[in-house]
Amino acid sequence: MLPTLTSRAGRALAFSALVTLFLVWYTASDNYYSGTATSSTFHAGNGYNKSHPIDALMNTAETDLDEILSTESHDIATAAERYRARRGRHPPPGFAEWFEFAKDKNALVIEEFFDQIYHDLTPYWALQPKELRRQARSIPTRVVIRNNTAILKTDEPRNWMDSWHDLVSKLEDYLPDLDMPINVMDETRLVVPWETVNEYIQKELRDRIMPSQSNVISEYMSLNEWDQEDLEAYDPGFTIPPEGGYWQMAKVGCPPGSPARNNTLPMIDFGTPPWEFDNFERISYHGYVGNFTLAKDPCVRPEMQVLHGTFLEPVSVSTSHKLLPLFGGSKLPMNNEILLPPAMYWAQNEHYSGGENEHGGAWDAKINKAVWRGAATGGRAREPNWTGFQRHRFMSMMNATSVQQAEQNNSHGINFRLPNYADYKLNGDGFVTELLEQHTDTGFNHLVCTPYNEADPTCPYLDPYFEIAAGMPMKKMYNYKYLPDLDGNSFSGRYRGFMLSTSLPIKATIYNEWHDSRLIPWVHFVPMDTTYIDFYGIMAYFLGGRDEVARKIALAGKAWGEKVLRREDMEIYTYRLLLEYARICDDRREFLGYTGDIVGP
Ligand SMILES: *[C@@H]1O[C@H](CO)[C@@H](O)[C@H](O)[C@H]1NC(C)=O
Ligand SMILES: *[C@@H]1O[C@H](CO)[C@@H](O)[C@H](O)[C@H]1NC(C)=O
Ligand SMILES: *[C@@H]1O[C@H](CO)[C@@H](O)[C@H](O)[C@H]1NC(C)=O
Ligand SMILES: *[C@@H]1O[C@H](CO)[C@@H](O)[C@H](O)[C@H]1NC(C)=O
Ligand SMILES: *[C@@H]1O[C@H](CO)[C@@H](O)[C@H](O)[C@H]1NC(C)=O
């Protein structure tokens, strides 16, 4: 079967190009990175002349980006038209002011950039506005807007709530009354069964109307009267996982027939490392991520239940299977939260950004290595399950000693399996270990043992495999060319900082974020699979005479981030999201709309 090269561009075209590419790839018999393992090995002289799968992925991605850019709206009439065409409704009241706000901040107004909002909010149209408001009011941690003032409500001081409150406060002058419950845990909270969500989506579609201009209402309701109503509090029914862990809870959010629901994994033995890599090979493009949305989806990747701390043993789980409004900074594809720009991105916190004005120096002055530092988080990595945890796996795969042992042990390490080097055209004789020795600098600064002791970074059952490394502030990491980025307890809060840096992010995650539709893999960053099986191939590609290509993506990502990931862009996204949310919670929601652009009779 042909591997899939995904593109928004004409499939037929892509297909013929793909066949050609496929032939070129497999008739080029010699190694891309040939020779013995000397440092000149990385300079495979003819690398540029040959087609490499990554070249094809980059080409397709550039076409995708051009297509997206061609849909920018420069005036309100076009923006409103594109809205109606894509969403099947009138824009919400306040849309014209929102558009002005975006334009004043020199934003790229591209309808597709807001897709996540509609993905997240659509199911809520199936619930009654009054019920949504009752649910929202029952969650203790929330930001409330009344009379154009954003108010923080919380049961006790909570991490990050101040930061989200600050973000919404910036927008309060423009926003109607609303109650916005926020998830304050690292972990996600909602998994509504796929069948229910599907019913809700069908209902929204059936009930959706585009009222004539004379029937459109342009004022949101005030919640002052509603605040006086005495209603029974709503119980979301948050629960902890049953036997079988979070995976059992989470997979009900996957479509019937998906690999996660079919339980296609033969047998799960949590004590030994999981070796189901065929799945990635099947969906990859010659071993590399071709469709990041697909590759990062645990519904398509049931092996993630033994390859990610989220499913092995999260630090805490408190999940509801009911749909209720709850905002959060990241989620799995099977979760139902409403995504906001993460508070870590909004807070000007050096721990997660390296500092607002620190983005690293010139590419040529950087150390030619991949760097990673951090704690061994991801959940409670105890014996024997620690071997599946993502950060631990990556760290071992970066350890030349462990890799050398695995090379002599049928490609198996204690917690990882090596790729088939031939698939990646990697030379077997010490090439990978040399690559690691010369071009990586990675380590844990704390092993986060169970039981946990903050003062002691070591851990009896992990010490044999991981030496403690000195920590490294983010701005120091920008002195290195390559920045692998891994999930922790949920998404990685460093990602925005990495994108805005002059270094190259190599991103692996199973989490979704607000910005996903605006970042194009292989143009703005390098996507990596959460098995990390493609990492050596990625590094060999760049080190093999394509330093210039790495630099190009690093700087393209930074320049793009300065257009679409700015603080202004987080405001613009949140502003639009909250207009939509307020409409859904409004008693007259079907008729609320903006039609100012329509020249009516
Ligand atoms: C990538 O995969 C997703 C999820 O299966 C799918 O919806 C999308 O159409 C694919 N993208 C492309 C460009 O083929
Ligand atoms: C908002 O304004 C109304 C009327 O102007 C007032 O009755 C109400 O108390 C105000 N609400 C808040 C929360 O300030
Ligand atoms: C390992 O993880 C599985 C799945 O979450 C769980 O059922 C099992 O209890 C865990 N084992 C230990 C020793 O924590
Ligand atoms: C050798 O491989 C086995 C699994 O096949 C694994 O359990 C063991 O830990 C490996 N040994 C080393 C030294 O990595
Ligand atoms: C690399 O792995 C070996 C063997 O597993 C271990 O002894 C060593 O401490 C590891 N090195 C680092 C830097 O973690």
Side-chain angles (χ1 to χ4, degrees), residues 6-8 11 291 293-294:
T6 53
S7 166
R8 281 163 236 260
R11 289 302 159 94
N291 180 339
T293 314
L294 183 72

Side-chain angles (χ1 to χ4, degrees), residues 163-192:
S163 182
W164 267 312
H165 176 233
D166 181 63
L167 167 59
V168 178
S169 298
K170 292 271 184 299
L171 308 166
E172 62 190 8
D173 290 346
Y174 309 99
L175 294 175
D177 287 358
L178 55 88
D179 276 28
M180 180 190 180
I182 299 184
N183 174 23
V184 293
M185 285 172 51
D186 274 1
E187 295 82 3
T188 61
R189 310 290 297 279
L190 303 179
V191 185
V192 181

Side-chain angles (χ1 to χ4, degrees), residues 557-568:
K558 178 174 192 287
W560 186 242
E562 286 162 0
K563 284 192 174 139
V564 306
L565 298 181
R566 302 165 306 159
R567 294 173 67 74
E568 291 88 336

Side-chain angles (χ1 to χ4, degrees), residues 366-423:
K366 291 181 197 282
I367 301 163
N368 196 16
K369 290 184 179 181
V371 70
W372 193 92
R373 275 300 182 294
T377 60
R380 272 196 203 87
R382 338 173 188 243
E383 276 193 297
N385 284 358
W386 71 266
T387 55
F389 279 69
Q390 68 273 13
R391 291 186 167 191
H392 302 67
R393 291 189 293 103
F394 187 75
M395 240 25 71
S396 294
M397 290 176 77
M398 296 305 106
N399 178 327
T401 311
S402 310
V403 167
Q404 197 163 30
Q405 284 169 3
E407 284 174 349
Q408 287 150 17
N409 186 34
N410 203 16
S411 294
H412 284 63
I414 171 114
N415 61 340
F416 65 95
R417 198 203 76 179
L418 293 171
N420 182 348
Y421 287 168
D423 287 352

